[in-house]
Amino acid sequence: MTTDMLTVFVLLGITIVLFLSDHIRMDLVALLVVVSLALSGIITPAEAVSGFGEPVVVMIAALFVVGEGLLRTGIASATGSWLLKVGGDSETRLLLFLLPVVALLSAFMSSTGAVALLLPVVMSLSRRSGFAPSRLLMPLAFAALIGGMLTLIGTPPNLIVSGQMRSSGLEPFGFFDFTPIGFAILVVGMAYLILVARRLLPQHQATASEQESPGLRTLYTRYDLSRQLHKLEVRPGSPLAQKTPAEAALRSEYEVTVIAIARSGGWLPSLIPVLANTRMRYRDQMLVYADDAQIERLCAEQSLTCLDCPASEIARLEKNAGLAEVLVPPESKLCGKTVKQVRLRERLGLSVIGIRRNQELIDLHFASTELEAGDTLLLAGSWEQIRNLNRSRDLVVLNTPPELEEVPTHGSRAPVALGILGAMLVCMTTGWLDNLSAILLAALAMILSGCVNLTEAYRSLNATSLILIAGMLPMALAMERSGALDYLVQHLVNLIGDSSPLMLCASLFLVTSVLSQFISNTATTVLVAPVALSTAQLLGVNPEPVMISVAIAASTAFATPIASPVNTLVLTAGNYRFADFARVGIPLQLLALALTLLLTPLLFPF
């Protein structure tokens, strides 16, 4: 073993230990790897930072922009709504629909691209369903990796082993030669991820930034609003018809705050936020906040009917209107004035529906409750008005819920975003354009068409994921340049000796799978495939099952977050630890090994 080999092995070992210890952020560890490689002399400093210019890093950055376009135009939210509708409140049903979708996408496009596109969908789905992102994102990543096994173009290792067969004068693999084995692994893998892995998946708490921004459900509880939302219908003959809420004195006389009105129009009911000049009509259905006693009095005196308010109605409300928590600073002009006198609905289009003073919830009376410095107010109104809250000099915004990010800012551009996404997928699956060009064009089209603006595009870039991927890519080059990878492969061949063909497949599977946990599956396959083919020919074994085993093994990058860009993408969003991947991924690797060894000889006899 040379000095360079020993240096690479030591550096790789230290990197893995640092990842496992979780004492230093993974992106910082990746930067330390870059500096160490540059100083080692094994590769040049330019090669040590070459990962930042790798096509895969640029492609992932562009995919973040494409995904942001889907989020900002409402497509991600609509997809999440559909998954939530079919999956209901069951984590199992959600995964049953989600995992086949990402696997099918990965069979015809980059698995990294498939996960990047669905990441905002799953994060939206997680917030609305109440399931921790860590329960959904790792199964999403693993299903995408398995989906790549389904077709010849699903993942680079499949193409590499097929090309190696062709270059050796053998018949290359067909488009669906990988499908039977890949499909079996997908079915068993889904069963494992849904039935078994759910007991192994972490239930990580929200990150600090998420804890600082409570969601709508948290605000409901904090201000005791859950039982105060009511749905009222304006009956024919009601005195409220053609009046605004202010003219009807709903707040001053009844302490009732109208949040939104559901009005029949066209084919579907429209739910509109209530502004100061909104006039009520017969058959309008109002969503209001008030206690039961006031609702009972209002219905009796104003000829209204109290209706059930199902969860679906609340979900519709949350798409149009929301909440925000603000603070009254000492210098505010609102201090000493009543809620009625400050006229926030007229000034900001928002209504005060809750007050906390000295960390305690106090009774809110529209005409008599005076605001004091340090009061925390809960405001309700349209999302657009909530976005404009920062313009107020008399209030300090404390919290806006994460749901605000899911509200489309460019909803009218949704058809354009869908067209761009469709064109990108067609170009990638048909080969009209290479993946990088297709994705870059799609990201640029999203910006130029107004589906996402430049500020939103820059904000969408996940720096942690990009740095981690770019920082670890040069490790593969260092292993190749130093001879460390070839050293490992050659020792494997010597150990196999005259073993049975099945043992040859098992040994190559294990080595390829282990190596793919630390360097790219493409680099692993490029180095292992020629050795596997030569060994099979030397032993007089049909090379097809051997090469299939290598290709499948290269896609089992389940055990570490640096094994594949797919895993790295979900690392931060899921708040995962290094050990989480090993705990859930290693059993899945063993299942893939068992199925490959069982099915490959049946489909491709030795």
Side-chain angles (χ1 to χ4, degrees), residues 319-525:
K319 291 180 181 180
N320 294 270
L323 306 172
E325 202 171 27
V326 298
L327 177 73
V328 180
E331 68 276 8
S332 174
K333 297 177 182 178
L334 308 185
C335 294
K337 295 182 179 180
T338 66
V339 176
K340 180 179 180 179
Q341 290 171 336
V342 299
R343 304 174 67 85
L344 286 183
R345 173 167 276 176
E346 288 80 0
R347 294 170 55 193
L348 302 176
L350 299 168
S351 300
V352 181
I353 61 173
I355 299 180
R356 292 177 67 88
R357 182 171 293 164
N358 299 323
Q359 304 301 317
E360 297 291 333
L361 188 64
I362 67 172
D363 291 334
L364 170 60
H365 299 287
F366 182 66
S368 60
T369 301
E370 294 184 355
L371 301 182
E372 297 180 4
D375 282 353
T376 303
L377 312 181
L378 186 66
L379 305 182
S382 72
W383 289 116
E384 181 180 358
Q385 301 297 341
I386 289 174
R387 279 198 183 94
N388 295 330
L389 258 178
N390 286 321
R391 301 176 184 175
S392 174
R393 298 180 180 179
D394 294 315
L395 296 170
V396 176
V397 180
L398 292 180
N399 290 307
T400 54
E403 288 86 349
L404 177 61
E405 294 301 315
E406 299 174 18
V407 179
T409 54
H410 313 291
S412 63
R413 312 303 292 167
V416 177
L418 274 177
I420 293 171
L421 176 63
M424 183 189 78
L425 295 178
V426 168
C427 290
M428 293 172 66
T429 55
T430 60
W432 290 348
L433 290 175
D434 62 273
N435 287 353
L436 179 59
S437 298
I439 293 170
L440 282 173
L441 283 173
L444 185 60
M446 285 285 187
I447 296 171
L448 294 178
S449 64
C451 295
V452 59
N453 61 43
L454 275 175
T455 301
E456 294 164 344
Y458 284 128
R459 194 181 300 157
S460 71
L461 301 179
N462 189 321
T464 300
S465 296
L466 294 174
I467 290 174
L468 182 54
I469 295 169
M472 291 307 299
L473 282 175
M475 179 64 77
L477 178 61
M479 292 190 72
E480 180 183 2
R481 185 73 56 80
S482 66
L485 190 56
D486 187 57
Y487 176 86
L488 292 175
V489 173
Q490 290 298 334
H491 272 65
L492 166 69
V493 175
N494 293 334
L495 286 173
I496 294 174
D498 297 327
S499 301
S500 67
L502 193 63
M503 182 59 68
L504 172 65
C505 288
S507 302
L508 287 170
F509 189 105
L510 287 172
V511 169
T512 306
S513 184
V514 169
L515 289 175
S516 67
Q517 306 311 307
F518 306 104
I519 63 176
S520 76
N521 58 7
T522 302
T524 300
T525 311

Side-chain angles (χ1 to χ4, degrees), residues 76-142:
S77 179
T79 305
S81 297
W82 175 79
L83 286 169
L84 195 59
K85 181 179 179 180
V86 296
D89 57 356
S90 168
E91 184 180 299
T92 299
R93 286 202 302 272
L94 283 175
L95 291 174
L96 276 173
F97 282 94
L98 179 62
L99 300 189
V101 169
V102 70
L104 184 62
L105 281 176
S106 298
F108 298 97
M109 65 176 290
S110 159
S111 55
T112 305
V115 171
L117 288 175
L118 288 176
L119 187 60
V121 174
V122 176
M123 292 304 293
S124 171
L125 181 64
S126 173
R127 282 191 286 266
R128 291 155 64 182
S129 65
F131 298 126
S134 59
R135 306 289 297 174
L136 302 175
L137 288 175
M138 194 181 293
L140 176 80
F142 290 173

Side-chain angles (χ1 to χ4, degrees), residues 19-163:
F19 281 148
L20 288 171
S21 68
D22 206 32
H23 291 315
I24 302 177
R25 282 179 46 151
M26 290 189 183
D27 50 347
L28 181 56
V29 173
L31 291 176
L32 291 173
V33 169
V34 170
V35 175
S36 300
L37 289 174
L39 295 175
S40 69
I42 299 172
I43 59 177
T44 67
E47 290 171 331
V49 298
S50 62
F52 292 92
E54 280 290 321
V56 66
V57 176
V58 178
M59 183 180 73
I60 291 172
L63 282 168
F64 279 134
V65 177
V66 175
E68 189 71 7
L70 300 180
L71 180 67
R72 294 296 177 179
T73 56
I75 294 172
S77 179
T79 305
S81 297
W82 175 79
L83 286 169
L84 195 59
K85 181 179 179 180
V86 296
D89 57 356
S90 168
E91 184 180 299
T92 299
R93 286 202 302 272
L94 283 175
L95 291 174
L96 276 173
F97 282 94
L98 179 62
L99 300 189
V101 169
V102 70
L104 184 62
L105 281 176
S106 298
F108 298 97
M109 65 176 290
S110 159
S111 55
T112 305
V115 171
L117 288 175
L118 288 176
L119 187 60
V121 174
V122 176
M123 292 304 293
S124 171
L125 181 64
S126 173
R127 282 191 286 266
R128 291 155 64 182
S129 65
F131 298 126
S134 59
R135 306 289 297 174
L136 302 175
L137 288 175
M138 194 181 293
L140 176 80
F142 290 173
L145 290 170
I146 296 173
M149 305 175 187
L150 293 173
T151 64
L152 178 65
I153 66 169
T155 185
N158 295 358
L159 290 168
I160 291 169
V161 298
S162 182

Side-chain angles (χ1 to χ4, degrees), residues 249-268:
L250 294 183
R251 293 214 67 178
S252 57
E253 293 295 329
Y254 298 97
E255 301 290 349
V256 171
T257 302
V258 182
I259 302 301
I261 294 176
R263 179 171 294 164
S264 297
W267 291 103
L268 294 172

